Amino acid sequence: MAGFHTHIAVSSVVGASYGWLGMTQLQLPPESAAVAGGLCAIAGILPDVDSDSGIPARETISFAAAVAPMLLLHRLIRTGWTSEQIFLVGVPTYLFIRFGLGGLLKRFTVHRGMFHSIPAILIAGMVAFLLLDHVNPTVRYFKAAAVSLGYFTHLLLDEIWSVNVSGVVPKLKKSFGSALKVFSGDGNANSACFGILILVSVGVLRDVAIHTPPGTPTATQSPRSPAPAAPEKLTRDLPELEGRPY
């Protein structure tokens, strides 16, 4: 399994490249591209919240506790909340993640469980989408995708480190396939993971529907066809019909 410093280093490099791509190819604002790159870097250590050792889990929880209230800031401001209301939400959010969530995860999760899975990649990106908000939908999708990308780099590195290349012929370790998986051997963990996936999916669809500008055609509603143009006025004179038989 790759170490903590390897995960954060690789996800940081990937995040920097991702942010540069958004700024140069998608013409995103530099600050938005930088935030997306930072989110990718931080997401590179998120799967280790289920780690049995102290340092990865502690650092991951600390990062999440500090970042989550900041991600909510723009959404709450656009909702019309005052600074006092935002403070009353931000501080409890930080305290819960920092001191409460870690204990719950340690009690109910196991390392290399469903936090190391493909559904978890999707959940991480969609949770980021719900936390984030921006007047430009492209920026919002770009940042949410950055979280999923950083999460994926962690799982990919774990799979790479599950291949023993010290000998002449590479051998697979027992941990191979335990990161990029769809299901685990624990039915309760599978049910909980896919239940969360369905829940956040519904939240994303609802949020997208709410923020869709009025009049925007949906997938089942084609744009209204323009009214047919009025027939052009005939400018040619009719031929002289006097004296001709009908």
Side-chain angles (χ1 to χ4, degrees):
M1 181 179 65
F4 176 82
H5 294 93
T6 301
H7 283 304
I8 192 66
V10 172
S11 63
S12 296
V13 172
V14 173
S17 303
Y18 184 77
W20 176 85
L21 178 66
M23 185 174 60
T24 58
Q25 302 301 316
L26 300 180
Q27 307 300 318
L28 298 181
E31 59 274 15
S32 298
V35 170
L39 290 173
C40 181
I42 295 173
I45 60 173
L46 284 182
D48 274 343
V49 293
D50 63 1
S51 176
D52 297 327
S53 58
I55 295 178
R58 184 176 66 248
E59 294 299 329
T60 303
I61 291 294
S62 299
F63 270 122
V67 171
M70 290 190 293
L71 295 180
L72 279 170
L73 182 62
H74 193 268
R75 172 180 282 273
L76 296 179
I77 290 175
R78 288 192 64 191
T79 307
W81 287 36
T82 65
S83 57
E84 290 83 3
Q85 291 173 323
I86 294 174
F87 177 82
L88 292 176
V89 170
V91 171
T93 300
Y94 170 82
L95 294 176
F96 169 73
I97 296 176
R98 180 67 180 83
F99 300 105
L101 185 60
L104 293 174
L105 292 175
K106 188 174 182 180
R107 179 177 180 181
F108 293 106
T109 64
V110 295
H111 190 44
R112 289 290 186 106
M114 286 303 288
F115 270 96
H116 286 67
S117 67
I118 294 175
I121 298 175
L122 303 177
I123 292 173
M126 286 190 284
V127 168
F129 182 87
L130 293 174
L131 292 176
L132 295 164
D133 192 18
H134 201 278
V135 292
N136 185 352
T138 301
V139 173
R140 190 180 184 191
Y141 286 111
F142 188 77
K143 292 178 179 178
V147 174
S148 290
L149 177 61
Y151 206 103
F152 171 74
T153 61
H154 182 110
L155 304 188
L156 180 62
L157 284 175
D158 281 350
E159 293 293 3
I160 293 174
W161 256 252
S162 296
V163 179
N164 189 352
V165 294
S166 59
V168 178
V169 179
K171 297 181 180 180
L172 301 181
K173 300 178 182 178
K174 292 182 178 180
S175 59
F176 184 79
S178 61
L180 287 172
K181 60 180 180 293
V182 179
F183 300 99
S184 69
D186 189 334
N188 292 330
N190 293 333
S191 300
C193 181
F194 280 94
I196 295 173
L197 179 61
I198 294 173
L199 184 63
V200 294
S201 298
V202 172
V204 167
L205 293 176
R206 180 177 179 274
D207 194 78
V208 169
I210 291 175
H211 289 84
T212 300
T216 301
T218 62
T220 58
Q221 178 184 6
S222 59
R224 180 178 297 177
S225 302
E232 296 181 0
K233 184 179 180 180
L234 297 178
T235 57
R236 294 182 302 171
D237 294 330
L238 292 176
E240 187 66 35
L241 298 179
E242 291 185 6
R244 296 186 181 182
Y246 289 102

